[in-house]
Amino acid sequence: MKPYTPAPTLLTSRRILITGAGDGIGRTVALACARHGASVILLGRTVKKLEKVYDEIERQGWPQAAILPLDLATATPSHYEQIAQTVAQEFGSLDSLIALGLNASQFSINPLGCTDSNCAEYIPAGDGINENPTVD
C-alpha cells in the first residue's frame, strides 16, 4: 500500500483554531496545517511559545497566522465570548477547532452555559450543516 501524502494545498483557505499550539502536539499540528495552506489561529497560555510558532510559520512563507493568548484552565465565559468575537471580526468564521493540550478534568464541558433551551444561539445560521437550527 502506498503511503498517503497530502497535497500541499489540502487546507488552502481553511481557518483553523488550535489550542495548545505553543508546543508539543499542538505546535506540530499548527505547523502541519499551515504547511498545507491553512490560516491557523494559535491559542495557548504562553505568548513566547506562540510567538515562536508564529515566527516559524512566517519564515516558511505559509499563510498568515494569528495568536490568541489564553489560559483555558482559568478562562471564564466572557473569555470564550471574546474569542468568538475576535475570530468573527478577524476571520469571519472557523472551519475547524482542534483542541489539544487540555486536561479535561480542569474544564467545564459547557463553557458558554449552553442548555437545551438556548443552544441554538451558538449554532451559526448558514453553516451548511444546519440551516435552520431548532431546539426541542
Side-chain angles (χ1 to χ4, degrees):
M1 176 180 265
K2 185 176 162 186
Y4 173 72
T5 303
T9 58
L10 179 69
L11 299 175
T12 297
S13 301
R14 303 285 188 204
R15 295 154 308 230
I16 303 173
L17 189 148
I18 303 163
T19 68
D23 60 10
I25 295 171
R27 177 184 183 279
T28 301
V29 168
L31 293 173
C33 289
R35 179 174 41 256
H36 291 285
S39 295
V40 294
I41 303 165
L42 310 168
L43 191 143
R45 64 180 174 219
T46 309
V47 174
K48 281 189 170 243
K49 289 180 180 181
L50 296 173
E51 287 174 341
K52 286 181 181 180
V53 177
Y54 178 95
D55 291 345
E56 176 65 19
I57 291 168
E58 287 288 301
R59 262 193 308 281
Q60 296 295 332
W62 297 329
Q64 178 73 45
I67 294 175
L68 283 176
L70 179 65
D71 184 349
L72 293 175
T74 59
T76 65
S78 65
H79 290 115
Y80 293 106
E81 289 287 348
Q82 185 177 1
I83 288 171
Q85 289 173 4
T86 299
V87 167
Q89 289 171 352
E90 299 297 322
F91 296 92
S93 65
L94 286 179
D95 295 297
S96 298
L97 166 66
I98 302 174
L100 300 165
L102 303 175
N103 178 348
S105 67
Q106 296 176 336
F107 304 99
S108 164
I109 289 175
N110 191 1
L112 294 176
C114 183
T115 65
D116 287 343
S117 62
N118 74 358
C119 288
E121 73 179 276
Y122 297 109
I123 301 170
D127 63 4
I129 297 169
N130 187 357
E131 295 295 324
N132 297 300
T134 59
V135 178
D136 295 329

